[in-house]
Amino acid sequence: MKYLHDIGSYFVMIKKVFGSFTKRSVLRELIFKEIDDLIIDSLGIVAFISFFVGGVVAIQTALNMTNPLIPESLIGFATRQSVILEFSPTFISIIMAGKVGSFITSSIGSMRVTEQIDALEVMGINSLNYLVFPKIVALLFYPFVIAISMFLGIFGGWLAGVYGGFTSSTAFIEGLQDSFIPYHLFYAFLKTFVFAFILATVPSWQGYYMKGGALEVGKASTNSFVWTSVLIILANYVITQLLLSS
Amino acid sequence: MIKVEDIHKSFGDEEILKGISTTFDKGKTNLIIGQSGSGKTVMLKCLLGLFKPEKGRIYYEESAIQDMDDDQQRALREDIGMLFQGGALFDSMNIEENVMFPLRMFSKQKKSEMLERVNEVLSRVNLENVNKKFPAEISGGMQKRVSIARAIVNRPKYLFCDEPNSGLDPKTATLIDNLIQEITHEYDITTVVVTHDMNSVMEIGEKVVLLKKGKLVWQGTNQEIFKTDNEDVTNFVYSSDLFKKIREVQIKEQ
């Protein structure tokens, strides 16, 4: 019953987020602030992880190619497929559930504990629109983060493959271009949008409806990471089944 | 003026407010007092429209809050200033932005006009040179004063205060109490203060409402509170050693 209640309150929250709107000039400022906090501040960690994981994918592929009949271009091909289809959209989103999700939950949860949300409500402000809507809009820019991650992942793979002595640059690039299906990019970015919505709303729900004090803010942040990750994995499965299995 | 008629509020099977009726007068500091768990905060949240009573009506002047749609309630809230127990200042904003917040949300003034008003109310609560500081950088008493400044910046008709001097030293607590009373008279607003502090009752209780287990058991002024024989009042008022001694002196003088 509790899960049903939670699911219900999540959808009620989504409806209220798009209810009475905050003054446009204030909302615009909030959106820019959220873009800075959620998108720009995440670029460093995303770039770092993408670059090195891309490199590791290339090395792992190269080290597992024991059959001389397999062309070297497979390293570029495998790096591209791994990074574009799964690593950048899905696993970066899981990492973002930890970084951005915890930040959203703890900031909204702290506002709940210190009555700042009550203060907004007493002033006649739709606190859900004020707090959550700018985060949803800011995370519409999340696909740009993923595009950067894709580029750096593949670049890291090229660098590790070529300068690690596993393949030539020509073979790697040939692998990158081999059997490229543009629809895969559509699939990757579509699911990125879905994950962005999950990243903005699930942690907000965890923070907004939390009860208790500072300790509970910490627990809510942990729950936020767990549930955001679970939903991203489930959504990933469903979207993959729907878009790629035909 | 705010009029409350027979309000009932329950959470699950537990009835917190059991048919409270009273009036909070304009231009006066009206105090809701009572022990912890007596229903003071629930009553305050009902008055603010944050909780919906199952029964009874709350009138702001002639209009019942229960008859208002969402837009009307939102408009009413623009006329309400609220001082929260912990101040509830926005951590991410500096003092100036905190006080300016209601103006930015609801007024069409230019920024220079808003700044002028912010400085005016900050100076009214005796705060200067704190505009660019953040809430975490000032003391608890100063945070309360900033919160009062934010509550009055939009010239509200109603001011609500939840335990305004909790966590403050006696001198600062008296300062905050007096400030609330001065502002009430100066702006001629209806002020409702929830407290269990007898010093506040003595200082600013122009009308005092005593709640016990969700029922209104006594109402009167801070002068009358020491003259009444109401058992609930005497039990509450003389629960501290200081006031017990005052009582003994009073009896001796009589």
Side-chain angles (χ1 to χ4, degrees), chain B:
Chain B
M1 185 195 72
I2 302 168
K3 197 164 97 181
V4 174
E5 271 182 11
D6 192 33
I7 58 167
H8 292 254
K9 177 67 191 168
S10 303
F11 292 101
D13 295 334
E14 194 181 357
E15 196 176 17
I16 308 295
L17 298 180
K18 300 167 183 171
I20 291 175
S21 301
T22 188
T23 306
F24 300 109
D25 302 323
K26 190 182 176 195
K28 282 185 182 175
T29 43
N30 302 272
L31 269 59
I32 304 173
I33 61 169
Q35 291 176 343
S36 299
S38 58
K40 304 186 296 287
T41 302
V42 174
M43 170 103 172
L44 185 74
K45 291 198 171 176
C46 286
L47 291 174
L48 289 164
L50 295 177
F51 289 160
K52 286 183 181 160
E54 286 90 34
K55 197 181 155 196
R57 296 172 79 73
I58 296 164
Y59 294 90
Y60 279 77
E61 311 306 333
E62 303 303 320
S63 314
I65 198 168
Q66 286 77 6
D67 297 337
M68 295 177 187
D69 59 28
D70 285 352
D71 289 337
Q72 286 169 319
Q73 282 203 22
R74 210 161 283 127
L76 170 69
R77 285 180 184 168
E78 288 177 30
D79 286 332
I80 289 176
M82 173 81 195
L83 169 59
F84 284 87
Q85 194 169 352
L89 297 175
F90 302 117
D91 300 325
S92 56
M93 298 178 194
N94 64 29
I95 302 307
E96 186 176 280
E97 289 164 341
N98 260 289
V99 178
M100 199 189 283
F101 186 77
L103 293 175
R104 289 187 62 214
M105 295 304 289
F106 302 116
S107 84
K108 288 177 181 169
Q109 294 174 25
K110 288 178 190 164
K111 196 172 180 189
S112 58
E113 290 169 335
M114 288 193 253
L115 262 176
E116 197 180 323
R117 175 69 183 151
V118 166
N119 289 326
E120 188 185 320
V121 288
L122 279 175
S123 131
R124 179 65 196 83
V125 297
N126 307 317
L127 279 176
E128 270 153 25
N129 304 322
V130 293
N131 292 39
K132 300 297 174 195
K133 289 190 174 177
F134 280 83
E137 296 171 337
I138 58 174
S139 70
M142 287 166 97
Q143 285 183 18
K144 287 278 166 73
R145 281 189 275 165
V146 173
S147 191
I148 293 173
R150 186 178 67 182
I152 61 170
V153 73
N154 221 5
R155 297 182 173 85
K157 291 180 187 165
Y158 312 96
L159 177 64
F160 293 91
C161 309
D162 186 14
E163 308 274 5
N165 44 24
S166 70
L168 299 179
D169 63 88
K171 196 177 170 188
T172 312
T174 308
L175 199 91
I176 296 292
D177 281 340
N178 290 336
L179 191 58
I180 290 168
Q181 191 172 41
E182 284 164 21
I183 284 165
T184 303
H185 294 162
E186 200 174 306
Y187 289 79
D188 194 27
I189 55 181
T190 308
T191 298
V192 180
V193 180
V194 164
T195 185
H196 54 237
D197 183 2
M198 275 311 295
N199 290 323
S200 297
V201 176
M202 294 292 295
E203 288 283 339
I204 60 168
E206 291 172 288
K207 175 164 184 179
V208 183
V209 170
L210 176 65
L211 300 189
K212 185 185 175 188
K213 293 178 182 170
K215 285 185 177 171
L216 192 156
V217 289
W218 184 84
Q219 53 186 329
T221 66
N222 57 358
Q223 300 304 313
E224 290 163 353
I225 206 165
F226 290 103
K227 293 174 187 163
T228 178
D229 291 328
N230 184 304
E231 196 181 338
D232 293 318
V233 174
T234 50
N235 282 343
F236 180 77
V237 172
Y238 301 108
S239 55
S240 80
D241 290 343
L242 174 67
F243 283 96
K244 270 180 197 159
K245 285 198 173 131
I246 292 172
R247 179 69 160 171
E248 283 164 18
V249 171
Q250 279 178 335
I251 292 168
K252 272 183 195 170
E253 281 177 356
Q254 282 167 6

